[in-house]
Amino acid sequence: MNARILRSLCLLTLATAAPAAPGDVDTTYGPSLSANSHSPAVQPDGRVVLGGGYTAVNGVSRGCLAQFTPAGALETGYNPSGGPSARAAYSIQVHPDGGVLAGGSFSTMSGVTQRRLARISAAGSLDPSFNLNFSHDIYTLELLPDGAVLVGGIFVSIDGTPRNSLARLHSNGTLDATFNPNVNGNVRSIVSPAGGTTLLAGNFTSVGGVTQRYVARLNAAGGLDTSFAPVLDGPVYAVALQADGKLLLGGAFSFVGSQPRNRVARLHADGTLDLAFNPGANTLVRGFAVQADGKIIMGGDFTLVAGQTRNCIARVHGDGTLDTSFNPNANDNVLGVTLQADGRVLAGGNFTVMGGLARNYYARLLNDPATDALTVTSPGRVEWMRGGTTPEAIAVKFELSPGGGAWSPLNGAARIPGGWAATSPGLPASGLIRARANVRSGYGNGTASLIERTVPFSFSGLELWRYAHFGTVQNTGNAANNADPDKDGLENLVEFAFGLNPNTPDAAALPQWQLSDDDYTLAFTRPAGVSGITYVGEYSTSLAPGSWTPAENVGPPPAYTFLAPATTQRLYLRVRVTVP
């Protein structure tokens, strides 16, 4: 074989697959539905309840509600509809106990009449006591902190009582007779920021007989807040709350006030337009999923965002510019998007292809990394730092379990830069902390997921003592073991070991050696709360290095009695205090 032929055979081109990128389809996750889905909701254990209009999943009969493992496998024991006869579920609210509230167009559930609203246990069984008759469809739900429920839709009565498009239920499912805003058109999206107000969006033009088009704010009693008065020229399908209090609007509008805003806009908390935010979509925007890094995933019917091709799903930066790295490319509309705890994106809709791959009405997309760290920084503070693609929370709740049993709430959580914190919770020395984030997304942003993190914590007796006296558990500054902030000649470690106050001179309170018969004796009891300390009594006749002899201890802890022999020589006595 000549050299030219040999060289030709050696010139082989190896094709390599491009690395996975944000927005690519997760090929490991592939449930197949018979028809559209609207509302993926993440439960505290990571499982997903999916609402939609389908009648089967992977060929198995399921009517409008199904549950999946975090990896995407169908939970065969979860079948609240009991079969394919139910119609659509549009809104899912995950309850703190892991159960869900579901609202939609269905009229039966588990073979019994259940008109448009159902409460379902974590195991998938229907709660028959929670059964109201809504005259028409429910589009959106909002579970309030006190257990009450806001319900929005296109209904005109509940169990025969007039209620136009918006109602509030007590936690037991009965109608709240004191709440009747009287909205004259459909309500498609609700969000309730802290403070008791309610924001609603839809296709209405008045609230309580007062003109207010497509988006409104109510006070806690259900009255219209006339100070919040944005003017739009078309329906709003979704309202979402950002970490900074600004409001994202998606819908079919073209103007906000006199400013062109094609189907997506952002308002300041007072209702005025954010002039710096203007992505623009060429047709309907149906919902948002907001990341902790401020990026926003949008789903809808559009084919252009910011003038560039984006078929039904897109991501924009916090300033509204298009994220060109994210382009899943669905072949039909995306009705709802939801972020899992790790930032991966769940998308439901009418599509059958996503990213060039067959995906029947439901898909999971890869994403950039999510950062999530729950830490107990001191007995007085818990922090949950959330960044990257982890889902942005509209509310967080911290809970304590001292012994791994029942959970009790800590003080109210508040936003801090990069996350949430609870201060002065008065934590014990050890236990478990659980943090739960309420995340809004899905169809019309009417679905609420509950993202959970749990961590153990423990503090030594010395750390608790430092915190009590110096407000920190760290071995630094005035709180350092060898510091002497009160200048009484006793280092902090000695003050701790003998239950003294490091900020008040009290050296005279130390136990003293006493001559008794033929021995010097030092007797004391370890103070309550002191642990992790080693006490060693010693004596020396010269103070020379290596001359110290351990004194006998005849009192078992927590009592100590050190004995040193009395001699005719000068004797030096001490107690050495150490920690591991």
Side-chain angles (χ1 to χ4, degrees):
M1 182 179 296
N2 65 44
R4 181 176 296 177
I5 296 174
L6 182 61
R7 284 196 301 270
S8 297
L9 291 175
C10 291
L11 293 175
L12 302 178
T13 302
L14 300 177
T16 58
D24 286 354
V25 171
D26 182 348
T27 58
T28 70
Y29 192 99
S32 180
L33 311 182
S34 62
N36 63 34
S37 66
H38 300 85
S39 307
V42 181
Q43 295 175 291
D45 61 4
R47 291 185 291 182
V48 175
V49 173
L50 180 65
Y54 53 85
T55 58
V57 178
N58 300 337
V60 178
S61 176
R62 284 294 183 278
C64 83
L65 288 170
Q67 186 185 59
F68 300 91
T69 68
L74 179 67
E75 290 282 11
T76 57
Y78 188 98
N79 187 16
S81 68
S85 60
R87 294 175 66 193
Y90 300 126
S91 177
I92 307 293
Q93 297 281 300
V94 178
H95 195 270
D97 66 5
V100 301
L101 280 173
S105 60
F106 52 85
S107 57
T108 63
M109 193 69 65
S110 295
V112 300
T113 300
Q114 194 80 30
R115 298 190 183 277
R116 286 106 188 172
L117 181 67
R119 184 162 66 186
I120 298 159
S121 74
S125 59
L126 179 69
D127 180 353
S129 70
F130 201 94
N131 192 349
L132 297 173
N133 182 358
F134 285 79
S135 63
H136 296 84
D137 294 355
I138 292 171
Y139 293 138
T140 185
L141 300 167
E142 173 81 311
L143 183 62
L144 301 176
D146 64 357
V149 184
L150 292 172
V151 184
I154 198 169
F155 49 86
V156 296
S157 68
I158 305 171
D159 281 346
T161 301
R163 279 297 183 277
N164 291 320
S165 302
L166 184 66
R168 186 167 65 194
L169 309 181
H170 297 295
S171 59
N172 63 0
T174 58
L175 181 65
D176 184 343
T178 68
F179 187 90
N180 188 12
N182 189 24
V183 183
N184 76 334
N186 67 51
V187 173
R188 288 188 170 271
S189 188
I190 301 172
V191 65
S192 295
T197 61
T198 298
L199 290 152
L200 55 144
N203 199 15
F204 54 84
T205 57
S206 73
V207 178
V210 178
T211 298
Q212 184 61 50
R213 298 179 183 275
Y214 312 122
V215 62
R217 184 165 68 191
L218 309 181
N219 59 34
L224 180 66
D225 180 352
T226 56
S227 70
F228 183 91
V231 177
L232 293 94
D233 68 339
V236 177
Y237 279 66
V239 57
L241 182 66
Q242 293 191 162
D244 58 5
K246 294 181 180 180
L247 302 167
L248 296 167
L249 304 181
F253 52 87
S254 299
F255 280 84
V256 178
S258 61
Q259 298 293 321
R261 284 298 183 276
N262 290 321
R263 287 86 188 184
V264 60
R266 186 164 67 193
L267 307 180
H268 297 289
D270 62 2
T272 58
L273 181 65
D274 183 348
L275 296 173
F277 184 89
N278 188 15
N282 67 329
T283 189
L284 189 62
V285 173
R286 295 181 179 271
F288 304 102
V290 182
Q291 298 178 175
D293 61 8
K295 293 183 180 181
I296 303 153
I297 300 173
M298 307 188 305
D301 301 1
F302 50 82
T303 57
L304 294 173
V305 174
Q308 298 190 45
T309 299
R310 282 298 182 276
N311 290 318
C312 303
I313 183 169
R315 185 166 68 185
V316 298
H317 297 283
D319 62 3
T321 57
L322 183 67
D323 183 347
T324 57
S325 71
F326 187 93
N327 188 12
N329 190 24
N331 74 333
D332 206 335
N333 63 24
V334 173
L335 300 175
V337 285
T338 292
L339 289 163
Q340 292 183 286
D342 61 3
R344 284 182 287 187
V345 184
L346 301 173
N350 282 303
F351 56 85
T352 56
V353 176
M354 182 77 76
L357 299 177
R359 283 297 183 272
N360 289 323
Y361 313 109
Y362 182 49
R364 184 164 73 182
L365 310 176
L366 303 178
N367 209 344
D368 298 301
T371 59
D372 181 331
L374 176 61
T375 56
V376 182
T377 60
S378 76
R381 187 175 178 86
V382 179
E383 293 183 355
W384 195 11
M385 307 308 292
R386 301 169 53 78
T389 61
T390 192
E392 182 57 67
I394 65 168
V396 163
K397 184 177 183 180
F398 292 103
E399 296 173 304
L400 166 68
S401 175
W407 295 94
S408 59
L410 300 181
N411 290 354
R415 288 190 183 274
I416 60 173
W420 295 75
T423 56
S424 302
L427 298 179
S430 63
L432 296 173
I433 289 291
R434 182 169 73 184
R436 285 178 158 183
N438 185 319
V439 175
R440 298 286 299 194
S441 56
Y443 181 67
N445 282 72
T447 287
S449 298
L450 204 57
I451 304 297
E452 178 180 297
R453 286 286 180 267
T454 302
V455 296
F457 71 92
S458 63
F459 294 103
S460 68
L462 180 55
E463 288 174 322
L464 293 172
W465 181 86
R466 286 194 199 113
Y467 186 77
H469 291 287
F470 301 106
T472 180
V473 297
Q474 303 301 316
N475 184 13
T476 58
N478 278 345
N481 289 349
N482 60 356
D484 181 12
D486 58 7
K487 308 301 182 186
D488 63 354
L490 301 180
E491 295 181 350
N492 282 337
L493 190 58
V494 175
E495 302 256 16
F496 166 68
F498 291 98
L500 305 180
N501 187 337
N503 295 308
T504 301
D506 50 7
L510 280 176
Q512 303 294 318
W513 290 88
Q514 304 290 332
L515 180 60
S516 175
D517 298 327
D518 295 329
D519 293 304
Y520 287 101
T521 302
L522 181 69
F524 63 92
T525 299
R526 184 180 63 217
V530 174
S531 61
I533 288 289
T534 300
Y535 304 86
V536 179
E538 296 177 321
Y539 58 93
S540 170
T541 59
S542 66
L543 294 179
S547 67
W548 291 96
T549 301
E552 181 184 5
N553 177 26
V554 297
Y560 291 83
T561 302
F562 290 110
L563 302 178
T567 69
T568 57
Q569 298 176 301
R570 178 177 294 179
L571 197 66
Y572 300 93
L573 302 165
R574 72 180 183 185
V575 174
R576 188 159 46 87
V577 175
T578 60
V579 291

